[in-house]
Amino acid sequence: MSASSVSGLGVSPGIAIGEPVVHLARPVAVLRVPIPKNRVDDEIARFRDAVRRAAEAIEHNARRARERMGEEYAAIFEAHSMIARDPVLVEKVEKLIRTGAVNAEWAFDQVVAEYMEQFEGLGDGYLAERRLDLLDVASQILNILQGYDFGKLQELERPVILVADDLPPSQAVQLPLDHVLGFVLETGGATSHTTIIARSLGIPAIVGAHGACQAALEARMAVVDAFEGRVVFDPDPAEIAEYESRNAEYAEQREHLVELVAQPPVTRDGHRITLLANLDLPSEMREADRWNAEGVGLYRSEFLYMRFAPGLPSEEDHFQHYMDLVSRANGRPVVIRTFDLGGKKLAREVIGARESNPILGLRGIRLCLRQRDFFADQLRALLRVCGQFPAGQVRIMLPLISGIEEVRKTRCLLRRLTKKLRAEGHHIPENVPLGVMVEVPSSALIADRLAQEVDFFSIGTNDLTQYTLAVDRANEMVAELYRPSHPAILRLIEEVVQAASHAGIEVSICGETAADPLMVPVLVGLGLKKLSMNPQSLPVVRNLIRHLSYREAAHISRTALRLSTASEVEEYLLERLAILFAKIKIHV
Ligand code: PEP
Ligand code: MG
């Protein structure tokens, strides 16, 4: 019997075996622990060391920000560093450790609470901002004191299983991901962004694994079984052998799929589907090539921002980055989505404040239109890149569109920038294709009007599901309510596809639903001819399409649309899939 196991939701298939490393991003309860009098000096030294390490990390970030973005942004980090090294604060904490003979975490927490109380009485505006700065710095110092230092994680030198209570995508991209064998997260959902990163890198992952951090703290070895949604700590040798053999079987199945990559994704009755890749980083183009993607249906440019954070990429950084990406595409079309920052994809430096409900806040196009300079840098670079390749190869896509005004405002900005760039001598083509993500229900409902204003649609079911069903896509507490198979979503997709077809514009789908074997027949049946997904899912979907007939798919989608609940739809689809694909092995 294994020592212990924790269940969750398997979100990126595979099995990983290795040493677990715990990362706690959420604040841990601070307990008051008495310290023997003769250890007080050591405790003070431990505190000073934590302050020094936090201040050094902040100063490192300040230097990076200064190099990349100039003094103005570096000032944010310098203010943080001053807080960390504030002699009054440090002195108060040391005094409390000495007089109370207590642990550094508790003394520090008490002093910070005292400061916060003083700030609270002083109202909003500038002081409220300083309050947030203090909170930021305090959590960094506390993390170090409690033994969880993100900086250390960035220096990982051996392969590990990363077990975390939370891991925002901004942190995930800063990890040496070559050394991450598997992810186990206590939070998250099937389409949260860290999940998407894991999936596109082919790293097995489980989310919503409550209690995994505690269990991992005491374990020397862990197995992530993302097929079953289970993580086993300290398995015995027989269990390890069993997992290794299942892993080998899975690798063999994948190898078989490699043999199919050259075969076109055509249904049995000759209906041609185009399979595209969703990418977060240009280096992922290797995987897209490996699985024979016909282009990039979604490039999530915000990962560029995350890699530069705490800095901001300049126009030239954008330009070089997209040139690299499009060159790697070797003539295939590339859809570059403008920054979709905000929400869970942290953009504190740009937003400048914390929001109480960021998912409904200043995210995507809203943030870009509010911060025009920041947006203009990206758009100028994109327009210049369009001028370097054949017409139409590079397309610009806008995220989180909820109404037509956002498209019109962006078009106006693009016109102004084009004029200016041409005056500066750049070649900017006429009619750069501009499309939108349809991922907010309001856009889907006015798709007929929206279709008159743009060149293409891409349906983002990750957010469309979140906003239609009012279910946070990254919240494990409601993960079971997150159902892209809900009839409401199917109806919206149908409307969008029909609106695009009437207007004669292209429509594709780039939400994770496009990679879900259960949903592929419905999507094809609804008339979607372009499916864009994480590269790792391409072979499974290619294989599935080659076993499907369009006539059957159309029948399946018509029937699914008449059903009343997500469960009814899923049951029906599972039944159909079992009949249709009895001969092929597909992990659903
Ligand atoms: C979506 O919402 O479906 C989508 C593809 O965009 P993202 O996952 O980046 O929000
Ligand atoms: Mg989205």
Side-chain angles (χ1 to χ4, degrees):
M1 265 303 282
S2 57
S4 64
S5 74
V6 171
S7 295
L9 184 68
V11 288
S12 176
I15 291 174
I17 305 173
E19 176 199 351
V21 165
V22 178
H23 170 58
L24 296 185
R26 292 188 162 177
V28 190
V30 175
L31 304 177
R32 184 180 192 282
V33 183
I35 299 283
K37 283 254 182 301
N38 63 356
R39 289 224 356 251
V40 159
D41 284 339
D42 291 347
E43 193 63 6
I44 289 176
R46 192 169 73 86
F47 172 65
R48 283 187 188 157
D49 184 52
V51 169
R52 181 186 54 76
R53 277 168 50 198
E56 279 173 10
I58 295 166
E59 281 150 19
H60 172 74
N61 284 341
R63 275 195 300 280
R64 277 185 55 188
R66 184 176 300 106
E67 279 159 27
R68 301 213 166 271
M69 301 141 49
E71 283 304 326
E72 195 191 330
Y73 287 94
I76 300 172
F77 299 97
E78 266 150 22
H80 281 194
S81 150
M82 274 163 65
I83 296 172
R85 292 194 190 270
D86 175 13
V88 182
L89 186 143
V90 171
E91 204 178 296
K92 279 190 173 200
V93 176
E94 291 185 7
K95 195 166 160 208
L96 194 53
I97 297 175
R98 195 172 294 287
T99 54
V102 286
N103 56 327
E105 289 88 337
W106 190 81
F108 178 63
D109 199 48
Q110 293 294 301
V111 173
V112 170
E114 200 182 292
Y115 272 58
M116 296 304 283
E117 241 169 58
Q118 288 170 13
F119 275 130
E120 232 141 62
L122 296 171
D124 284 342
Y126 177 80
L127 286 164
E129 269 300 291
R130 299 292 70 75
R131 195 171 159 262
L132 289 177
D133 287 338
L134 174 60
L135 266 184
D136 252 13
V137 176
S139 76
Q140 288 180 56
I141 296 177
L142 208 53
N143 274 346
I144 296 174
L145 280 171
Q146 293 182 323
Y148 308 111
D149 182 354
F150 185 69
K152 265 198 205 152
L153 216 53
Q154 286 173 278
E155 287 157 21
L156 273 179
E157 276 171 359
R158 54 184 195 283
V160 296
I161 305 258
L162 187 66
V163 185
D165 57 350
D166 191 12
L167 187 69
S170 51
Q171 286 192 351
V173 289
Q174 291 180 50
L175 293 173
L177 289 164
D178 308 353
H179 290 333
V180 179
L181 300 169
F183 281 113
V184 179
L185 306 182
E186 294 201 350
T187 48
T191 66
S192 52
H193 285 95
T194 303
T195 295
I196 291 174
I197 294 173
R199 211 176 284 147
S200 65
L201 294 172
I203 302 176
I206 296 178
V207 299
H210 296 285
C213 289
Q214 188 54 42
L217 280 173
E218 289 145 24
R220 298 228 307 260
M221 162 84 99
V223 175
V224 180
D225 179 355
F227 295 123
E228 300 292 330
R230 212 160 77 101
V231 48
V232 182
F233 294 102
D234 287 331
D236 61 35
E239 276 177 307
I240 295 178
E242 163 76 21
Y243 281 117
E244 278 170 347
S245 116
R246 279 184 48 209
N247 222 358
E249 194 188 319
Y250 177 60
E252 205 178 296
Q253 273 176 32
R254 298 277 300 175
E255 276 314 303
H256 166 66
L257 293 174
V258 176
E259 293 160 18
L260 302 177
V261 292
Q263 299 184 4
V266 182
T267 62
R268 291 200 326 263
D269 46 357
H271 192 76
R272 177 73 159 87
I273 301 294
T274 302
L275 294 183
L276 303 159
N278 291 351
L279 304 185
D280 304 331
L281 308 169
S283 56
E284 287 169 357
M285 189 69 89
R286 268 197 310 271
E287 283 302 295
D289 285 340
R290 177 162 182 239
W291 300 111
N292 202 9
E294 293 171 78
V296 177
L298 165 66
Y299 181 70
R300 290 185 169 95
S301 68
E302 56 274 12
F303 284 87
L304 173 66
Y305 166 87
M306 291 180 196
R307 283 167 77 213
F308 273 78
L312 281 176
S314 65
E315 175 184 331
E316 211 45 40
D317 293 327
H318 280 290
F319 180 76
Q320 296 300 342
H321 190 78
Y322 306 141
M323 283 300 290
D324 178 31
L325 170 76
V326 184
S327 309
R328 287 178 198 234
N330 260 330
R332 288 168 293 178
V334 180
V335 177
I336 302 179
R337 184 175 74 184
T338 58
F339 276 159
D340 182 12
L341 291 164
K344 295 263 155 89
K345 301 183 224 183
L346 196 89
R348 177 131 191 262
E349 292 78 5
V350 191
I351 296 177
R354 247 176 223 163
E355 299 170 286
S356 56
N357 201 349
I359 291 294
L360 298 180
L362 210 48
R363 184 191 157 185
I365 192 69
R366 303 170 184 179
L367 176 60
C368 287
L369 287 172
R370 189 74 68 87
Q371 304 278 346
R372 296 283 169 103
D373 290 349
F374 163 75
F375 194 23
D377 282 345
Q378 182 174 35
L379 292 180
R380 279 176 57 98
L382 282 170
L383 287 168
R384 284 171 55 201
V385 172
C386 290
Q388 305 292 315
F389 294 92
Q393 188 189 342
V394 184
R395 302 167 183 200
I396 302 177
M397 181 157 76
L398 308 175
L400 213 81
I401 292 293
S402 59
I404 286 168
E405 293 92 337
E406 290 157 340
V407 177
R408 292 185 182 157
K409 281 182 188 159
T410 307
R411 278 211 187 274
C412 183
L413 186 56
L414 280 169
R415 271 196 298 275
R416 257 197 296 129
L417 295 173
T418 301
K419 211 163 145 198
K420 221 162 151 221
L421 282 163
R422 284 184 181 147
E424 289 168 23
H426 293 284
H427 163 60
I428 310 296
E430 297 295 332
N431 305 324
V432 167
L434 181 71
V436 292
M437 297 279 300
V438 180
E439 54 183 347
V440 177
S442 57
S443 286
L445 291 167
I446 57 156
D448 55 338
R449 308 278 169 83
L450 197 52
Q452 306 302 321
E453 312 262 341
V454 298
D455 302 305
F456 63 94
F457 284 159
S458 188
I459 304 175
T461 44
N462 303 341
D463 278 311
L464 191 60
T465 305
Q466 156 166 275
Y467 292 122
T468 306
L469 305 183
V471 175
D472 180 348
R473 62 193 263 192
N475 182 347
E476 72 291 353
M477 314 270 265
V478 285
E480 79 278 13
L481 299 176
Y482 185 89
R483 312 276 281 275
S485 54
H486 193 293
I489 311 293
L490 302 187
R491 286 190 193 189
L492 289 177
I493 297 175
E494 185 191 34
E495 264 189 50
V496 176
V497 174
Q498 283 183 0
S501 151
H502 286 146
I505 65 167
E506 262 184 23
V507 57
S508 62
I509 179 162
C510 63
E512 292 296 299
T513 307
D516 181 350
L518 202 59
M519 294 292 286
V520 167
V522 186
L523 301 177
V524 171
L526 285 173
L528 280 156
K529 293 194 185 116
K530 288 190 168 194
L531 309 181
S532 191
M533 65 201 70
N534 69 79
Q536 302 291 336
S537 296
L538 287 166
V540 173
V541 174
R542 179 186 306 275
N543 194 18
L544 203 156
I545 285 168
R546 291 183 59 80
H547 283 77
L548 187 69
S549 99
Y550 178 63
R551 254 173 42 118
E552 282 161 353
H555 172 76
I556 288 174
S557 67
R558 275 196 305 275
T559 310
L561 271 166
R562 284 199 297 269
L563 298 173
S564 311
T565 68
S567 299
E568 282 173 26
V569 173
E570 283 165 23
E571 266 166 40
Y572 167 69
L573 294 177
L574 270 172
E575 196 182 290
R576 297 297 306 172
L577 215 66
I579 299 168
L580 286 172
F581 307 118
K583 287 197 215 95
I584 54 173
K585 222 172 183 178
I586 289 176
H587 287 285
V588 179

